[in-house]
């Protein structure tokens, strides 16, 4: 059985459907037939509003017909069709939305008097329709205007319909009983349409108030402020309020903006970017906007409460992007606006942001969080903001005069200026990677021009206030020169070393980018000049030349165009040839540039990071980051993005890294932990190592690969190892501090050196080995050449003949280990004796770790003694007199290339702990072998034409 309420709902829908059809023919068709004049923009806007209202009315009629159909089905087959099938219950939210759209369209027409304006175009026609309208409406006065009649015709049936909905649904809820499965649907629908009644009343009140406002304003103000969707929420003429310091004559609160009228000036504030702050007393509250701060005051506390409440709720509503339902301030959402929001604003006040549009996150009236700034001149900035300023990582594009060219800055910012690490790609194709302070290059950085530039340059070093200053390395590819030394005010100034591609080296003093005073010049053939030079390293003035053969030329030097170098002086040919080590191995730069102060810009950034407690948000700013570098990233605004290698959760990752250091403090575990850290480009220690590698390559690779810089490079590698250990210790102290544990005690110098050589140096040396070993090769090229000649001659000897030549005692010869064929003789066997020792020594070149090289040498010594012990049939310890010739034999058979470079690198990088120990003894023995093989009798010895066929017994 169907209830009486369902039958009443059916009749209600039938009446309302018929009324809507009548209104469509009686009202909408005549209104829409009379189009506006071409010169009437307001008329065209009114027509659009009426068309939208007609469309909403049509949707309302459609949904009413759907509801009517569901009611008829229910009444026709009550047993088969349940109560829950009614559209009003099943889709109450959809029905409500259609009603809301109609109300919104209707109130837009009310707010701008669209009906009154439309009626004026056919006033005679509408006066004749008054009687027909009276049949649709109840209580229509015969004296009211036609516009008012149209307003009632489009509102009154809907209001009555919704009212009846509520009454019938409430009655239906009582009828079905509390246990009925559809009771909740009925109560929900009744609640929705009850709220709709309240919403309609509020909307009509606001539309009416808005309509009444416009005639009180000048036409200029109306043109600026009047829009169909805008609603007036509060007027200071109704509830007086004073605004300071602007002294506004009138304050209007709309649902989307706060407007202050001050004479002919209009101050409009988007409510999405208005923050409300209660005052200290009941007579004031404050408003904060992106560029203004002002206070609302009133002598009437109650009136001020009204203003504060309405402004607050209007801000909340504007942020939600939809009207509060059922009334302002009601609903499920919070009635307090969030302090953090998103929005767009164009700055008007003078300053850096003038005319720039910011879109992004805000906090209390200031850009704060992620956002984008765009200026009219094409400048763009995307990144992090804090309290209204660029702060954190950001990318800025700055257009240049030429078309489609930009400077692109991918940097960290602090309080509005670049500060910390950044990568800048300029429209000139130059790229700077390094640190900034207050918007200028400051600290360590690399500036590199494009290879195709007229004068390709690369500077790696320190900067101060935007200029090269301090220690730095500049390579001039066009001139084939590299300068290593001090800078001041963007010029070479102070001690410096110049290396040329031709192998010429200069060391002296620069002032204002020019060489001044005496200096030293070393040529590729080891000639030494001491005196003064020109910019092109041409000898000029007084000086002295020392030739490789010991001859000297002292006097005055000069050059004439086209005639070469000329001199007037004394040539001394009586001097003895100098020791090669005094010329060939002369080192430049040592003592001139203290190793501990060369790369303070690199070490200092890491120390700052540790001193700050290793905060994750400063990790990139202080330690740097890596991004892809390409022309595309700086030529177009479409590339305002930056995929950095570091992840977003830097703080969390830093906690994990520090925890790992705490868990691996024992020597073996620590070495594995350091190995992992140094090989990881995202780890702070790994980042530091890679930056140091960059400086090392910039100094000693390519043009810098000069034998006279070997000492400079070698002490630099050792210093880097010490700094890496100090960096680890700093991170460990931070980890202990975060855990509330006591810090470790300071190390003494001996303990520190032990840890550096045993833990750090073996791990970081491979990163520098290629450039470093090249310098050792060049420095010991002459000795290695003599050694190579000696090895070549010794390789011609059969084993027994070589052992005899080296005066190895015959009872130590391992000939009985040899297995010969019938055609072989002992004195013809080659590369068989001491084979295990030879193969062991050859492994020396398979590692770059000095300690591992020494371990190979120790095992080689063990193999020699083991072979001798086997020959003698007892354990035998070799004295030095017996060991040296046997070791020479093994070295000659191992044929290690560049053994001199190997020996000296091991000696320089060896752990001081081994000095005077077994490793030192064995290395000294190997060095003696190396020097012995270079001797003339080794290189020029001639083998006899016939070898004795007698074999030892």
């Amino acid at each position: 059985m169907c209830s009486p309420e369902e039958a009443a709902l059916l009749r209600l829908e039938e009446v309302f459907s018929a009324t809507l059809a009548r209104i469509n023919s009686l009202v909408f068709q005549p209104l829409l037939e009379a189009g506006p004049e071409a010169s009437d923009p307001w008329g065209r806007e009114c027509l659009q509003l009426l068309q939208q209202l007609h469309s909403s009315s049509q949707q309302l009629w459609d949904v009413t017909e759907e509801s009517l159909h569901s009611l008829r089905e229910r009444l026709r087959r009550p047993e088969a069709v349940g109560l829950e099938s009614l559209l009003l219950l099943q889709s109450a939210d959809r029905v409500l939305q259609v009603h809301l759209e109609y109300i919104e369209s209707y109130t837009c027409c009310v707010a701008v008097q669209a009906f009154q304006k439309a009626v004026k175009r056919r006033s005679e026609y509408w006066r004749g329709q008054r009687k027909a309208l009276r049949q649709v409406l109840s209580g229509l006065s015969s004296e009211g205007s036609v516009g008012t009649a149209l307003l009632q015709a489009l509102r009154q049936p809907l209001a009555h319909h919704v009212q009846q909905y509520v009454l019938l649904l409430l009655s239906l809820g009582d009828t079905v009983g509390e246990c009925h499965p559809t009771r909740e649907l009925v109560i929900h629908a009744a609640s929705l349409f009850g709220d709709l009644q309240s919403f309609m009343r509020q909307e009509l009140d606001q539309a009416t108030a808005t309509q009444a406002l416009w005639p009180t304003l000048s036409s200029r103000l109306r043109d600026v402020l009047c829009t169909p969707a805008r609603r007036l929420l509060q007027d200071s003429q109704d509830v007086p309020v004073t605004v300071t310091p602007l002294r506004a004559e009138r304050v209007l609160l709309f649902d989307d903006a706060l407007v202050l009228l001050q004479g002919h000036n209009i101050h409009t504030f988007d409510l999405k970017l208005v923050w409300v702050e209660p005052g200290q007393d009941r007579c004031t509250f404050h408003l904060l906007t992106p560029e203004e701060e002002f206070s609302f005051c009133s002598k009437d506390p109650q009136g001020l409460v009204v203003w504060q409440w309405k402004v607050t709720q209007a801000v909340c509503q504007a942020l939600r992007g939809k009207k509060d339902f059922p009334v302002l301030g009601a609903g499920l959402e919070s009635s307090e606006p969030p302090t953090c929001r998103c929005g767009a604003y164009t700055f008007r006040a003078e300053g850096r942001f003038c005319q720039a549009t910011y879109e992004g996150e805000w906090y209390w009236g200031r850009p704060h969080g992620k956002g984008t700034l765009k200026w009219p001149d094409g400048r763009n900035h995307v990144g992090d903001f804090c309290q209204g300023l660029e702060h954190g990582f950001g990318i800025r594009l700055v257009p240049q005069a030429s078309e489609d060219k930009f400077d692109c800055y991918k940097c960290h910012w602090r309080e509005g200026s670049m500060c910390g690490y950044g990568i800048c790609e300029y429209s000139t194709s130059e790229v700077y990677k390094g640190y900034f302070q207050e918007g200028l290059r400051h600290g360590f950085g690399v500036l590199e021009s494009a290879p195709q530039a007229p004068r390709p340059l690369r500077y790696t070093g320190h900067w101060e206030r935007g200029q090269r200053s301090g220690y730095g390395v500049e390579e001039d590819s066009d001139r084939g020169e590299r300068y290593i030394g001090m800078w001041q005010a963007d010029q070479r100034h102070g001690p410096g070393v110049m290396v040329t591609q031709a192998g010429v080296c200069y060391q002296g003093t620069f002032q204002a980018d020019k060489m001044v005073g005496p200096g030293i010049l070393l040529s590729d053939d080891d000639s030494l000049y001491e005196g003064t030079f020109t910019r092109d390293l041409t000898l000029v003035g007084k000086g002295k030349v020392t030739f490789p053969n010991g001859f000297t030329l002292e006097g005055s030097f000069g050059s004439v165009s086209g005639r070469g170098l000329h001199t007037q002086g004394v040539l001394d040919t009586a001097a003895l040839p100098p020791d090669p080590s005094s010329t060939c191995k002369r080192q430049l730069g040592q003592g001139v540039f203290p190793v501990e102060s060369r790369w303070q810009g690199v070490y200092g950034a890491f120390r700052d990071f540790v001193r700050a407690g290793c905060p994750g948000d400063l990790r990139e700013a202080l330690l740097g980051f890596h991004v892809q570098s390409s022309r595309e990233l700086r030529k177009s605004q479409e590339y305002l993005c930056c995929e950095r290698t570091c992840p977003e959760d830097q703080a969390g990752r830093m906690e994990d890294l520090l925890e790992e250091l705490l868990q691996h403090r024992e020597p073996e575990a620590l070495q594995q932990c350091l190995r992992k850290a140094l090989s990881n480009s995202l780890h702070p220690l790994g980042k530091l190592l890679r930056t140091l590698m960059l400086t090392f390559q910039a100094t000693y690779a390519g043009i810098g690969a000069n034998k006279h810089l070997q000492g400079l490079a070698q002490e630099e590698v050792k210093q880097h190892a010490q700094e890496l250990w100090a960096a680890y210790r700093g991170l460990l102290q931070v980890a202990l501090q975060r855990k509330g544990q006591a810090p470790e005690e300071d190390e003494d110098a001996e303990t520190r050196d032990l840890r550096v050589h045993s833990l750090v140096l073996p791990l970081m040396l491979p990163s520098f080995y290629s450039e470093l070993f090249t310098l050792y090769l060049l420095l010991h090229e002459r000795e290695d050449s003599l050694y190579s000649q000696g090895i070549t001659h010794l390789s011609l000897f059969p084993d027994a003949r070589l052992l005899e030549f080296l005066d190895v005692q015959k009872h130590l010869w391992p000939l009985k280990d040899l297995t010969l064929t019938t055609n072989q003789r002992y004195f013809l066997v080659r590369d068989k004796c001491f084979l295990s020792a030879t193969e062991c020594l050859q492994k020396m070149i398979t590692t770059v770790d000095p300690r591992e090289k020494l371990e190979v040498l120790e095992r080689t010594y063990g193999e020699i003694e083991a072979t001798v012990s086997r020959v003698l049939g007892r354990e035998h310890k070799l004295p030095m007199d017996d060991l040296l010739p046997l070791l020479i034999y093994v070295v000659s058979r191992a044929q290690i290339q560049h053994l001199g470079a190997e020996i000296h690198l091991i000696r320089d990088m060896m752990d001081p702990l081994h000095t005077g120990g077994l490793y030192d003894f064995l290395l000294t023995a190997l060095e003696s072998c190396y020097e012995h093989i270079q001797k003339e009798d080794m290189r020029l010895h001639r083998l006899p034409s016939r070898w004795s066929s007698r074999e030892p017994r």
Side-chain angles (χ1 to χ4, degrees):
M1 291 289 293
C2 294
S3 63
E5 288 79 9
E6 293 174 70
L9 279 172
L10 176 63
R11 291 192 297 274
L12 179 66
E13 296 287 46
E14 289 175 339
V15 172
F16 188 57
S17 178
T19 302
L20 289 175
R22 187 89 179 271
I23 289 175
N24 180 60
S25 60
L26 184 64
V27 177
F28 282 115
Q29 291 182 5
L31 281 174
L32 299 177
E33 285 175 358
E37 297 179 4
S39 60
D40 183 10
W42 267 107
R44 290 196 297 274
E45 184 175 17
C46 288
L47 180 61
Q48 291 175 358
L49 292 173
L50 292 172
Q51 288 171 339
Q52 180 60 43
L53 179 59
H54 179 235
S55 175
S56 299
S57 175
Q58 188 64 43
Q59 292 179 23
L60 185 59
W61 183 81
D62 290 340
V63 80
T64 303
E65 285 293 307
E66 281 188 61
S67 176
L68 187 58
H69 176 75
S70 66
L71 284 164
R72 286 171 177 162
E73 284 295 308
R74 165 68 178 162
L75 292 174
R76 188 167 63 86
R77 296 185 298 153
E79 301 299 331
V81 179
L83 184 61
E84 67 279 1
S85 66
L86 295 183
L87 185 70
L88 286 175
L89 304 183
Q90 184 186 51
S91 304
D93 293 314
R94 183 166 74 87
V95 175
L96 175 71
Q97 186 60 37
V98 173
H99 282 74
L100 292 175
E101 291 174 3
Y102 179 86
I103 293 169
E104 181 180 357
S105 300
Y106 174 77
T107 52
C108 284
C109 293
V110 172
V112 295
Q113 295 184 315
F115 299 116
Q116 290 86 336
K117 293 172 183 176
V119 166
K120 285 182 180 179
R121 292 197 300 271
R122 299 184 63 184
S123 56
E124 291 295 328
Y125 170 82
W126 288 108
R127 277 196 290 270
Q129 296 297 317
R130 186 183 295 275
K131 182 177 180 180
L133 289 172
R134 195 179 293 119
Q135 294 175 0
V136 177
L137 304 173
S138 59
L140 178 63
S141 170
S142 58
E143 298 178 358
S145 67
V146 176
T148 304
L150 290 177
L151 284 172
Q152 291 183 12
L154 297 172
R155 174 180 57 83
Q156 191 182 86
L158 178 64
H160 175 75
H161 185 64
V162 173
Q163 181 185 24
Q164 293 303 308
Y165 264 170
V166 175
L167 294 175
L168 291 173
L169 288 170
L170 288 174
S171 178
L172 182 60
D174 294 336
T175 301
V176 297
E178 294 185 4
C179 298
H180 198 281
T182 57
R183 178 175 172 77
E184 288 188 8
L185 292 175
V186 175
I187 297 302
H188 174 66
S191 175
L192 283 182
F193 287 104
D195 289 342
L196 181 60
Q197 282 186 293
S198 302
F199 181 78
M200 284 180 62
R201 285 193 292 269
Q202 175 185 266
E203 287 297 292
L204 288 170
D205 290 343
Q206 290 178 1
T208 303
T210 307
Q211 182 192 79
L213 167 69
W214 303 131
T216 68
L217 303 177
S218 66
S219 59
R220 175 177 167 272
L221 293 179
R222 281 200 305 272
D223 291 342
V224 174
L225 298 176
C226 182
T227 63
R230 178 168 282 172
R231 300 290 180 270
L232 179 66
L233 304 183
Q234 193 63 58
D235 188 342
S236 62
Q237 289 189 349
D238 299 329
V239 180
V241 71
T242 303
V243 178
T244 56
L246 294 180
R247 299 292 180 184
E249 298 167 3
R250 190 174 183 181
V251 183
L252 302 173
L253 176 63
F254 293 100
D255 59 354
D256 64 335
L258 178 69
V259 177
L260 307 182
L261 303 181
Q262 190 179 31
H264 295 293
N265 296 323
I266 306 173
H267 302 278
T268 304
F269 303 95
D270 184 355
L271 289 181
K272 292 179 181 178
L273 296 176
V274 171
W275 283 260
V276 183
E277 183 180 15
Q280 299 292 333
D281 51 43
R282 298 179 58 192
C283 299
T284 308
F285 70 90
H286 308 287
L287 292 186
L288 187 66
T289 70
E291 294 184 277
E292 301 280 356
E293 293 184 37
F294 42 88
S295 301
F296 275 46
C297 310
S298 177
K299 296 179 181 179
D300 177 17
Q302 190 62 37
L304 193 70
V305 169
V306 171
W307 269 102
Q308 182 175 339
W309 183 86
K310 284 200 173 182
V311 171
T312 301
Q313 300 312 312
V315 170
C316 288
Q317 181 176 263
L319 289 172
R320 285 192 284 268
K322 60 179 181 180
K323 292 183 179 294
D324 291 348
F325 185 83
V327 292
L328 183 68
L332 300 177
E333 294 87 351
S334 172
S335 59
E336 288 297 326
T339 54
C340 298
R341 356 182 148 155
C342 292
Y345 180 81
T346 300
F347 290 90
R348 297 182 295 271
E350 292 296 324
R352 289 192 309 113
F353 290 177
C354 183
Q355 297 184 16
T357 298
Y358 173 80
E359 185 173 358
E361 298 173 345
W362 298 76
Y363 178 79
W364 281 109
R366 301 290 180 265
H368 190 93
K370 305 289 184 183
T372 302
L373 266 174
K374 294 184 179 181
W375 283 266
D377 62 6
R379 286 176 294 157
N380 280 358
H381 182 97
V382 177
D384 299 324
F385 292 79
C386 181
Q387 294 298 322
L389 297 172
E390 305 95 320
H391 192 93
F393 183 77
I395 305 174
R396 178 166 294 183
L397 285 181
V398 179
Q400 299 305 301
S402 56
E403 185 179 354
D404 199 28
K405 284 194 175 182
F406 292 81
D407 289 346
C408 181
Y409 301 86
K410 290 171 277 196
C411 308
H412 278 266
W413 301 69
R414 182 188 298 169
E415 297 178 358
S417 62
M418 290 183 288
C419 189
Y421 187 81
I423 298 177
C424 302
E425 298 164 316
Y426 303 98
S427 60
T428 58
S429 295
E430 287 184 322
V431 177
Y432 173 80
K433 298 180 180 180
Y435 293 89
F436 289 85
Q437 182 174 301
E438 296 180 358
L440 299 173
R441 300 169 189 157
H442 193 91
F444 172 75
V446 179
L447 178 65
E448 185 174 11
S449 61
Q452 66 272 19
R455 188 184 173 192
L457 294 174
R458 177 188 173 95
Y459 174 81
T460 304
H462 298 275
W463 301 76
E464 187 173 335
R465 304 292 300 167
Q467 296 180 320
R468 291 171 288 185
S469 188
Y471 183 77
V473 178
E474 183 187 65
E475 180 168 326
D476 187 336
S477 301
D478 189 46
R479 296 175 63 91
E481 295 176 349
R482 180 174 295 173
Y483 172 81
I484 305 168
M486 303 306 292
W487 296 75
Q488 181 177 304
D490 232 17
Q491 295 180 321
R492 289 171 288 187
H493 192 93
V497 173
M498 181 80 80
V499 183
T500 70
Q501 205 158 17
V504 177
C505 293
Y506 161 84
Q507 178 176 309
T509 304
F510 289 77
Q511 186 172 351
D513 228 21
K514 296 180 179 178
M515 301 177 187
V516 295
I520 298 173
L521 186 142
L522 287 166
S523 64
D524 191 39
D525 66 352
D526 297 323
S527 296
L528 168 66
Y529 172 80
E530 299 168 276
T532 54
F533 313 86
T534 66
R535 169 70 176 83
D536 296 318
L537 300 180
T538 302
L539 282 58
V540 61
K542 292 184 178 181
K544 176 183 178 181
V545 178
T546 302
F547 296 99
N549 61 2
F551 293 1
T552 62
L553 175 61
E554 187 171 3
S556 297
F557 296 84
S559 61
V560 178
S561 178
R563 297 174 60 185
L565 179 70
H566 67 88
T567 181
Q568 182 177 359
V570 177
L571 176 66
D572 183 0
T573 61
L576 295 174
D579 181 359
S581 63
S582 66
T583 54
C584 170
K585 297 184 180 179
R586 181 179 280 108
Q587 295 298 295
L588 301 179
Q590 288 183 293
V592 180
F593 317 116
V595 64
E596 64 274 3
S597 62
R598 286 178 207 163
W599 300 110
Q600 282 301 311
V602 179
Y603 307 143
F606 192 96
R607 293 185 192 127
D608 291 342
F609 178 65
V610 172
R611 275 195 292 266
C614 302
D617 58 340
L618 291 182
R619 186 168 164 189
E620 284 188 345
L622 294 175
L623 303 185
F625 55 87
H626 174 74
V627 296
Q628 253 188 336
S629 178
S630 71
R631 176 175 169 75
E632 293 301 314
L633 285 173
R634 58 182 178 272
K635 80 169 189 177
S636 171
Q637 297 184 24
E638 297 175 5
Y639 292 91
L640 274 175
C641 61
C642 187
E643 293 296 332
R644 313 200 299 286
T645 56
C646 290
E648 290 292 328
D649 56 338
Q650 292 287 359
R653 286 188 54 82
M654 199 65 229
E655 287 292 339
D656 296 339
L657 296 177
L658 293 176
E659 181 64 29
E660 191 171 7
L661 295 182
L662 287 177
Q663 300 299 324
H664 300 82
R665 296 166 68 182
E666 295 301 320
E668 288 189 15
L670 174 56
Q671 189 164 37
Q672 291 302 317
C673 180
L674 289 175
R675 187 189 307 277
K676 180 180 176 182
L678 292 173
S679 62
N680 183 357
S681 61
L682 299 182
H683 195 287
L685 294 177
K687 285 188 176 185
L688 178 58
L689 175 60
R690 277 154 183 76
T691 305
L692 296 175
M693 288 168 56
L694 183 149
T695 65
F696 198 77
Q697 292 166 358
T699 310
Y700 305 110
I703 297 175
N706 190 291
K707 61 188 177 184
H708 301 297
L709 300 181
Q710 178 269 339
L712 205 66
Q714 176 249 123
E715 63 181 13
E716 201 164 290
V717 169
K718 290 183 177 180
Q719 180 66 25
H720 291 342
Q722 290 186 21
E723 291 292 344
L724 284 166
W725 177 250
Y728 159 74
R729 294 272 299 172
L731 291 175
L732 181 61
Q733 301 291 33
V734 172
L736 291 169
Q737 183 180 7
R738 289 192 181 187
K739 292 292 184 180
Q741 300 179 22
E744 288 194 343
E745 296 181 0
D746 292 339
E747 296 177 318
D748 56 55
E750 184 178 350
T751 303
R752 182 201 63 199
D753 290 344
L754 176 63
R755 294 296 185 91
V756 168
H757 281 83
S758 63
L759 291 174
V760 181
L761 193 59
L763 297 176
M764 55 85 72
L765 189 56
S767 300
F768 303 91
Y769 193 80
S770 176
E771 291 78 19
L772 183 62
F773 191 65
T774 299
L775 296 177
Y776 276 90
L777 289 178
L778 295 170
L779 184 62
H780 300 283
E781 186 177 16
R782 179 178 173 276
E783 298 99 309
D784 275 340
S785 175
L786 296 176
Y787 158 79
S788 180
Q789 292 175 32
I791 290 293
T792 301
H793 284 286
L794 293 178
S795 68
L796 300 175
F797 284 84
D799 289 352
R801 194 75 177 98
L802 181 58
L803 289 169
E804 182 182 26
F805 173 71
L806 296 174
D807 291 330
V808 177
Q809 297 186 46
K810 290 188 177 181
H811 70 281
L812 302 180
W813 293 12
L815 296 183
K816 67 180 182 179
D817 290 347
L818 303 180
T819 302
L820 304 181
T821 65
T822 55
N823 297 324
Q824 284 184 317
R825 293 188 178 187
Y826 284 110
F827 266 70
L828 297 178
V829 173
R830 191 189 307 269
D831 299 330
K832 296 296 184 182
C833 294
F834 295 99
L835 182 60
S836 61
T838 302
E839 291 175 344
C840 184
L841 186 61
Q842 288 172 337
K843 295 178 181 177
M844 178 181 286
I845 62 174
T846 63
T847 178
V848 302
D849 184 353
R851 183 180 59 189
E852 292 181 359
K853 290 177 183 289
L854 289 170
E855 290 172 353
V856 169
L857 185 57
E858 182 184 17
R859 289 196 298 272
T860 302
Y861 170 67
E863 290 291 337
I864 294 174
E865 279 201 335
T867 301
V868 170
S869 297
R870 188 172 61 254
V871 170
L872 298 177
R874 56 183 171 83
E875 187 175 345
H876 182 72
K877 292 293 183 184
L878 289 168
M880 188 64 175
D881 289 343
D882 288 341
L883 173 63
L884 188 59
L886 287 173
L887 190 56
I888 293 176
Y889 173 87
V890 171
V891 169
S892 68
R893 289 302 192 230
Q895 298 188 359
I896 297 175
Q897 297 294 311
H898 314 298
L899 183 60
E902 292 278 3
I903 291 171
H904 286 87
L905 188 145
I906 296 171
R907 177 73 69 186
D908 290 340
M909 296 295 166
M910 186 172 69
D911 191 337
L913 185 66
H914 299 315
T915 303
L918 176 62
Y919 285 159
D920 194 5
F921 165 75
L922 293 175
L923 187 61
T924 302
L926 182 64
E927 199 167 4
S928 297
C929 296
Y930 173 73
E931 291 173 356
H932 194 76
I933 293 172
Q934 294 177 55
K935 291 181 179 178
E936 188 173 356
D937 60 341
M938 287 285 185
R939 294 182 286 112
L940 302 179
H941 178 78
R942 293 291 181 266
L943 296 176
S945 58
R946 290 183 184 177
W947 297 336
S948 173
S949 60
R950 295 177 59 187
E951 300 174 356
R953 294 180 180 178

